[in-house]
Amino acid sequence: MQRIEVKNFGPLKNITLDIKDYMVFIGPQASGKSTLAKLIDFFLNTGEILKTSIIANILVDRVIKKEKTAINLSKIFVNEIKEVFVESFPAYTYGNLRFIYSDKIHISINVENVIKNIEPYISFNDKFYKNLESFDEKISANVSDLNFDSTTERNPFNFLWNIVQKELIEDLYNQLFYTAKSVKINFIPSGRTVISLFSNSITFIENNNLDHYNTDFIQFANSLRKEMASPTYEKLFGLSGRIDSGAKLINAFSLANELSFKILKGDFCLSNTGDEIIHYEEEGRRVSVPLRHTSSGQQEASWLINTIHFLLLKSSESTDTLYTTIVEEPEAHLFPEAQRDMTSLITLLANQYNNRVIITTHSPYILAALNNLVEAHLVGQKEGKKAATSEVINPFLWINPENLYVGYLDNGGIENIIDTESHLIKHEILDGVSDDIMRKFDDLLEIQYDE
């Protein structure tokens, strides 16, 4: 089980949290939901930093510079992590962070030392250091006899790449960081209205001071457009997908289409003139509305939906990639009914093989929708109840409570608000706000009718 530990980092004062397959963070504004989600994103991305930084440095030093001396891989890796950390959290100057990937590796960060450039500011356990040293020794031993200047010598680039591929990617990276061969993390930030409107504008990206989460999402949307134009994608999603599957929900794709249509009140469509939502009038006439002229809810939801469709497709095609999707405020600008459907769509993704989902939210409707999906799983497991339960909620959406964590953040900490006996989300904290509102209303009524 992977785990994150946070001490005195911004709004987070004392957090120790196991990483589960489906996580929801809820709490007041400025309670640290996004900070915690971004920290998890950062630490999960360190595996990619390991691959890219070490591969690049090894190939440059060995092939281009023709160096045969040992490379300090640990220092290279630490410096790369530091650069990404400072870019990701520029406003934070204090705190201690620790992420446990497995019993073989953990990373610790002293934030104050990072800012002041006091070593050691990032450290690993001894097991990881030894594995990096062993990897470097294997590289050095294999290149010691290579003649980089010989025209007859076997291609040193290919030779070294094969070693790196085997020793780093297949052994060190997989054994220490993850169980999957490849890891893909998608962070979907809040404020998607503006982002989705300008996601195909390189000028917009270059001329605006966006943080790297928003910039990355815009770039991801640009790359996703090419995927969405492929025949496979067009056949599965949108109008074509709904026509092919018909009214009967037969698989995850058809259910995704049904939910997406209900949320958007139409079909999302790429066109040469820009993104559109296609609406259908009673007489069957289609009306194409440019995305920039649709509601804020449709604008917020569109590229979140497109991302989920894409990940459903990719995770069905490959079982050796672990996808982690982090979504900020999926409820933004959506009516409660659409919030329910968006929760179902995200759950559909979380339930598919090799997908992990983390949500930050302010919405009690999200929690109520999740409770229904958990209850469906609990009831559906009872003898003779599965068929009737399936008529109410599609089994693709049932949530096994063992895979779910819902944490309430406030005062620098986090509280698990899933009841250990019922396995349902407790509403006491959220209902307290409603109770306070009703008490004040009762007080006003008492004053009104006081004789």
Side-chain angles (χ1 to χ4, degrees):
M1 177 73 73
Q2 295 176 337
R3 178 181 303 162
I4 188 170
E5 299 172 0
V6 187
K7 306 290 184 183
N8 301 316
F9 186 74
L12 305 175
K13 304 307 177 187
N14 189 4
I15 301 281
T16 298
L17 186 63
D18 290 338
I19 309 300
K20 302 193 77 171
D21 290 337
Y22 198 173
M23 306 186 76
V24 180
F25 303 145
I26 189 167
Q29 61 274 19
S31 59
K33 301 182 299 296
S34 288
T35 301
L36 182 56
K38 288 175 180 177
L39 282 172
I40 294 173
D41 171 78
F42 165 78
F43 281 113
L44 292 180
N45 267 307
T46 54
E48 297 304 304
I49 298 172
L50 172 71
K51 287 197 297 186
T52 55
S53 65
I54 291 182
I55 289 175
N57 278 278
I58 284 177
L59 296 181
V60 167
D61 276 27
R62 302 303 194 206
V63 178
I64 298 176
K65 295 182 180 179
K66 303 179 181 178
E67 293 285 347
K68 299 181 182 180
T69 57
I71 303 172
N72 190 336
L73 298 180
S74 298
K75 187 172 183 179
I76 291 171
F77 189 31
V78 164
N79 287 336
E80 292 282 351
I81 292 176
K82 176 187 174 184
E83 288 184 14
V84 176
F85 180 84
V86 172
E87 180 185 4
S88 302
F89 305 99
Y92 297 93
T93 57
Y94 296 97
N96 289 282
L97 310 169
R98 186 169 180 254
F99 197 94
I100 300 170
Y101 295 90
S102 68
D103 58 350
K104 297 180 180 180
I105 178 173
H106 64 255
I107 295 179
S108 299
I109 300 178
N110 184 313
V111 179
E112 184 176 6
N113 286 357
V114 167
I115 301 303
K116 295 180 179 180
N117 203 31
I118 300 174
E119 295 185 352
Y121 39 76
I122 299 174
S123 59
F124 307 89
N125 53 319
D126 292 339
K127 176 69 174 177
F128 182 68
Y129 280 124
K130 290 178 181 178
N131 276 274
L132 268 181
E133 290 172 3
S134 174
F135 172 71
D136 194 23
E137 289 171 0
K138 291 177 181 178
I139 294 295
S140 300
N142 278 281
V143 300
S144 60
D145 297 327
L146 285 178
N147 183 355
F148 287 83
D149 296 317
S150 173
T151 56
T152 59
E153 181 68 52
R154 54 185 166 174
N155 188 312
F157 181 91
N158 290 339
F159 181 72
L160 284 177
W161 173 250
N162 290 334
I163 298 172
V164 170
Q165 182 76 19
K166 175 65 172 67
E167 301 293 344
L168 176 65
I169 300 177
E170 295 181 9
D171 292 343
L172 179 63
Y173 172 81
N174 290 338
Q175 290 175 14
L176 297 182
F177 281 95
Y178 311 98
T179 57
K181 292 182 180 179
S182 179
V183 176
K184 302 294 183 185
I185 298 109
N186 293 284
F187 193 101
I188 306 175
S190 59
R192 293 175 292 275
T193 300
V194 174
I195 294 172
S196 58
L197 290 178
F198 293 94
S199 59
N200 59 348
S201 174
I202 300 300
T203 303
F204 175 80
I205 300 174
E206 294 175 345
N207 294 342
N208 286 268
N209 188 24
L210 300 175
D211 64 32
H212 89 270
Y213 294 100
N214 287 322
T215 301
D216 286 351
F217 184 63
I218 291 175
Q219 292 172 343
F220 171 77
N222 285 334
S223 64
L224 182 51
R225 290 173 185 278
K226 298 178 182 178
E227 297 282 349
M228 294 172 65
S230 70
T232 301
Y233 190 100
E234 289 185 337
K235 182 178 180 181
L236 289 172
F237 299 110
L239 176 60
S240 297
R242 289 193 301 106
I243 291 175
D244 288 346
S245 63
K248 186 179 180 181
L249 301 180
I250 56 175
N251 55 34
F253 299 133
S254 56
L255 180 54
N257 276 318
E258 184 73 13
L259 291 168
S260 302
F261 184 81
K262 290 170 67 177
I263 296 167
L264 294 177
K265 305 297 183 183
D267 291 313
F268 180 90
C269 179
L270 295 175
S271 75
N272 295 330
T273 58
D275 302 338
E276 298 175 340
I277 302 292
I278 301 176
H279 298 283
Y280 305 91
E281 298 183 349
E282 290 184 1
E283 59 272 22
R285 188 165 63 93
R286 299 183 188 182
V287 179
S288 297
V289 181
L291 186 60
R292 64 182 179 275
H293 295 314
T294 61
S295 71
S296 57
Q298 289 170 308
Q299 293 172 17
E300 285 275 352
S302 290
W303 281 96
L304 171 54
I305 288 173
N306 291 337
T307 301
I308 292 173
H309 287 179
F310 169 76
L311 293 173
L312 283 171
L313 175 59
K314 288 301 178 183
S315 59
S316 71
E317 293 176 341
S318 173
T319 58
D320 61 0
T321 299
L322 174 62
Y323 294 93
T324 299
T325 305
I326 301 174
V327 184
E328 289 189 313
E329 301 176 24
E331 74 276 9
H333 301 292
L334 294 179
F335 191 69
E337 182 182 48
Q339 292 186 38
R340 176 203 63 197
D341 294 333
M342 182 63 81
T343 304
S344 294
L345 185 61
I346 293 172
T347 300
L348 177 64
L349 175 65
N351 283 346
Q352 300 308 302
Y353 183 70
N354 275 355
N355 277 287
R356 178 164 50 189
V357 173
I358 300 172
I359 297 172
T360 70
T361 182
H362 297 104
S363 173
Y365 297 111
I366 296 272
L367 301 192
L370 289 170
N371 257 353
N372 283 352
L373 304 183
V374 171
E375 181 67 8
H377 173 87
L378 296 173
V379 175
Q381 306 308 305
K382 298 183 180 297
E383 185 175 357
K385 303 289 186 181
K386 184 175 181 178
T389 306
S390 299
E391 291 296 321
V392 178
I393 294 179
N394 192 298
F396 277 106
L397 304 177
W398 297 0
I399 297 177
N400 185 338
E402 293 182 0
N403 299 330
L404 179 67
Y405 174 87
V406 182
Y408 182 84
L409 286 94
D410 200 13
N411 299 318
I414 190 168
E415 175 190 355
N416 185 351
I417 58 172
I418 295 182
D419 185 86
T420 54
E421 294 184 3
S422 69
H423 303 293
L424 297 173
I425 302 166
K426 296 180 288 187
H427 280 271
E428 286 84 352
I429 296 176
L430 298 173
D431 290 343
V433 177
S434 299
D435 292 342
D436 183 62
I437 293 172
M438 292 305 299
R439 279 194 298 270
K440 284 183 170 53
F441 186 78
D442 290 340
D443 290 343
L444 293 171
L445 287 178
E446 186 175 338
I447 294 171
Q448 179 182 358
Y449 295 108
D450 183 22
E451 298 181 354

